[in-house]
Structure formats: C-alpha cells, structure tokens
Amino acid sequence: MAPSVTILDYGSGNLRSAERAVAATGARVTVTDDLTAAAEADGLVVPGVGAFAACMAGIEEAKAGPVIAERVAAGRPVLGICVGAQVMFAEGDEHGVLTPGLGLLPGRVTKLPVRRVPHIGWNTVDVPPASRLFTEPDARFYFVHSFAASPTDFDESDALVTTTEHEGAVFVAAVEAGPLSVTQFHPEKSGAAGAGLLRAWVKTLE
C-alpha cells in the first residue's frame, strides 16, 4: 500500500498545491487539521506562507506543536516547507520582534542581509553528498521569501544542510536532520526538480 501523508491545515500554506504535488508521487494524501491524523500518518507535511509569527500563532492555536515535536522525537518523518520550514527553528526575528519557534532545529530565522527582498526566483543549490532528498545535479528550485536561517547555526550539528545564495548572501535552502526535513523553497512550485525531491521524501516513508 502507498504511504499515507497528512498535510497539516493550521490556517496557513499552499494546501491544495502541496496536496496535488505530494499526491503525484503516488502517496495517499489527506489535508486536515485533525491532530490524530497528523500523528498517525506515515509522513507529515507542514506548509506555511506569510509571517513567522502568524504561522506560529496558527500552530499554537491548533495545538499542533507537540504533535510535530513528538513525531520527530519518535523518528517519524516530517517535511516543513517555506515558513513551515522556518518555524522548525529556535526563533524568528521579524523587524526586531523575536518569536519562539518549535526549536527542532538550531538557530534564528532573520531577514536576508541584501538590498532586494523578497527574494523571488529560481536558484541552484549546494547539496551535501549524503543527501537523500536531492537526486538531480544542478537542479533549480523556486524561492519566494525575505527571511532565512544561516548555515553557521549548524556548525556543531550532524544535520545535512543544503545552501544557496542571493546577492552574495548564503542561506539555508534545506535541512535533513534525521526524520525532520525542511525546504526554504517551494518544491510544489519547482517543476520537475521539486517533484523529484517530493518523490525522494515519500520514498523514505516506505
């Protein structure tokens, strides 16, 4: 039987585009705010768009934080996308206001130190050799964001960190940390490269 994937509906995110993209991998996909479904699925996707603080408020209102954390602690796969990736970090700094994140990854999400934001467009990424998610060399992924985490936050971590840059500023494009995977870019909007990444993630659920 194909693996089951729950896309968490907590009031933020490209739910339907994420649903279509994950379903195209052959997984059985459900979009729901039901925490039991989120806990029991083979894989959990946490999407997110907009502000870090607003997404965290939605997660807290839905009481979804403990479910996400418990899955990771139990070694059960979670994929965070865009702001759904950012909230996995310790905190977010938006215009000088710090908001606690879920703390499943180290470091702080901050505004890109560049002239032009938001960063919108297609980037190649620098992938660590042991990555299980990135299967195509020189693939390009679609980004739309003004904030990101720094790879220096992982200097003492065993996580696999994929990076890219915008106007010379290097930032985290993706992280693979045991059962937790996150992408700053939108795989569901990244064409064949994004589809390949989602297929690789779903394969880890089997």
Side-chain angles (χ1 to χ4, degrees):
M1 183 179 294
S4 62
V5 175
T6 289
I7 297 177
L8 182 64
D9 180 2
Y10 62 95
S12 177
N14 297 316
L15 297 174
R16 296 309 163 190
S17 58
E19 178 185 22
R20 289 191 296 269
V22 177
T25 70
R28 296 176 290 121
V29 182
T30 302
V31 177
T32 183
D33 60 359
D34 182 83
L35 297 182
T36 299
E40 295 180 353
D42 295 321
L44 175 65
V45 175
V46 182
V49 295
F52 186 107
C55 284
M56 275 306 304
I59 287 172
E60 289 169 358
E61 184 174 352
K63 297 180 173 58
V67 172
I68 298 168
E70 286 163 12
R71 282 190 64 98
V72 172
R76 308 198 64 211
V78 174
L79 173 64
I81 296 174
C82 197
V83 186
Q86 294 179 1
V87 296
M88 302 298 173
F89 288 82
E91 59 187 0
D93 181 351
E94 291 175 318
H95 313 295
V97 177
L98 294 180
T99 301
L102 295 176
L104 302 176
L105 294 172
R108 178 182 296 177
V109 174
T110 61
K111 188 175 181 180
L112 292 171
V114 297
R115 182 175 56 85
R116 290 182 297 129
V117 290
H119 165 225
I120 301 174
W122 296 79
N123 284 45
T124 56
V125 295
D126 186 7
V127 180
S131 172
R132 294 192 299 169
L133 294 186
F134 293 88
T135 58
E136 299 178 33
D138 302 318
R140 297 169 66 86
F141 298 89
Y142 183 73
F143 291 79
V144 53
H145 64 116
S146 298
F147 297 81
S150 169
T152 60
D153 290 328
F154 292 89
D155 287 348
E156 299 181 7
S157 170
D158 293 330
L160 300 176
V161 181
T162 294
T163 61
T164 191
E165 64 90 20
H166 174 55
E167 293 187 358
V170 178
F171 61 89
V172 171
V175 179
E176 298 165 65
L180 177 60
S181 302
V182 302
T183 66
Q184 178 59 67
F185 55 82
H186 286 275
E188 78 280 11
K189 297 181 179 181
S190 295
L197 183 141
L198 290 173
R199 283 194 302 272
W201 180 71
V202 169
K203 189 172 180 61
T204 70
L205 311 181
E206 297 173 353

